[in-house]
Each structure stands twice: as structure tokens, then as C-alpha cells.
Amino acid sequence: SWGDMRLSVAGTLSMGLFGIPMVGADICGFTGNTTRELCVRWHQLGSLYPFSRNHNELFGIPQEPYAFDAAATAIIKKSILTRYSLIAYMYTLFHEAHKTGTPVVRPLLMEFDGGGLGPLLEVADVDEQFMVGPALLASPVLYEGATSVRALFPAGRWFEFESGKEVPYASVTGGDSSRWVE
């Protein structure tokens, strides 16, 4: 369900903090039947989890990428290819986790102390975004029917993942002091 997918973010972050870095959720959900939209969004999220797999109960409807239409399959394929493009980075993070115990996926609090954001609690309360290592901010779509997210961008330099182009911080914040962007 959509609620299960949202809870998987907190669960994955918690397990990393408990010293278990190789963790993730059953993409598309395990029990019950998924929907096209949920499965596509969960693949987008799950491709950034340390452990990423599509897994289903025996009597559930098919939820493999090929079970959906061409548009959904293309989006899922792009998510999987994104994961493959991050393999060297992920392996580096797993090595770091092995040596130091630092989680592969982390709450924003581990990378940003609140600095220019005001109270530390603003960063601590973020539970629908996470960092993949110190360099990749994930802001997944976690609600049915949503086509955008409201995301916190801590002060710093930000780059578009696909193009590598720097995003001027003033454009991220809209030129005011707010760091929450939709």
C-alpha cells in the first residue's frame, strides 16, 4: 500500500542506524495486490535502497515490470538503470558501512545539522526524504496521484542528477529564506 511504501523509508533508515546497512523493502509490496502507479513509484524509490528487489506473495497479481504497459515499464527500466549507474557509489558506501558503521542511506540529520535552516528539529523531522551517502538527496513521490513533492533543500551546492548541471541555490529557494520547495 502507499502507507507501507512511506513506512519503508523510516524502516530502511532505522535499520541503517541500527547497524544493518543491507536493507530495503519488497518493491510493489508483498501482500495484497499493487497498482500500476504504486509499483512504478515504489520502483523509483526502491532503486535507491541498499537492497532492491520486486517481491510478491504467491497468489498476488503479477507485478514484474513487464506485467505493466510500455510507459510504466520504461519508467521502471529507467529506475533500474539509475541504480546500475550508482553501483560503484553504492559499493563505496557499503565499504564505508563495513569499516565505520555509517549507514548507506541516512536521514538528512546525519549530513545537515540545521546550520542555515534554523532549528535542528526542522532537519530531524524530515521523514520522507533521505540521503544516499553524503552526496545524493532522495525526495521520492510517496502519495497516490502526486506528480510533485515538497522537499527540503539544505544550504549548499545542488546538482541535477541526470544533467549534472548546478542548480543555483537562489532558484531552489525562490530567493527567499524558505528551503522547502515543491
Side-chain angles (χ1 to χ4, degrees):
S1 72
W2 288 90
D4 291 335
M5 183 174 66
R6 283 189 295 279
L7 286 174
S8 79
V9 174
T12 300
L13 294 175
S14 294
M15 294 303 283
L17 292 172
F18 296 150
I20 304 170
M22 185 61 155
V23 67
D26 291 332
I27 292 175
C28 302
F30 181 74
T31 59
N33 290 319
T34 191
T35 64
R36 175 193 184 276
E37 180 186 9
L38 176 60
C39 201
V40 165
R41 293 300 189 189
W42 210 324
H43 270 280
Q44 291 172 323
L45 168 62
S47 68
L48 298 175
Y49 281 163
F51 181 68
S52 180
R53 71 171 183 177
N54 180 321
H55 190 53
N56 196 6
E57 66 182 352
L58 183 60
F59 299 107
I61 63 169
Q63 63 185 32
E64 295 82 11
Y66 61 78
F68 298 98
D69 60 83
T73 302
I75 296 167
I76 293 169
K77 179 181 178 181
K78 182 177 179 183
S79 298
I80 294 168
L81 291 175
T82 296
R83 180 179 181 78
Y84 284 135
S85 77
L86 293 169
I87 287 292
Y89 180 61
M90 296 288 271
Y91 278 20
T92 300
L93 295 173
F94 276 112
H95 179 74
E96 178 185 7
H98 170 72
K99 295 298 248 182
T100 69
T102 304
V104 173
V105 294
R106 328 165 172 185
L108 272 64
L109 181 61
M110 286 191 70
E111 298 298 331
F112 305 99
D113 63 5
L117 295 172
L120 184 62
L121 290 178
E122 184 172 19
V123 180
D125 284 344
V126 176
D127 62 356
E128 294 185 351
Q129 288 178 269
F130 58 92
M131 298 294 297
V132 180
L136 184 62
L137 173 64
S139 303
V141 175
L142 299 172
Y143 292 90
E144 187 172 9
T147 57
S148 64
V149 297
R150 185 171 180 262
L152 179 67
F153 283 83
R157 295 177 68 191
W158 295 100
F159 299 85
E160 294 177 9
F161 180 78
E162 291 180 356
S163 72
K165 293 180 182 176
E166 186 168 1
V167 178
Y169 192 64
S171 71
V172 170
T173 63
D176 62 19
S177 62
S178 171
R179 293 195 180 30
W180 286 96
V181 179
E182 182 165 329

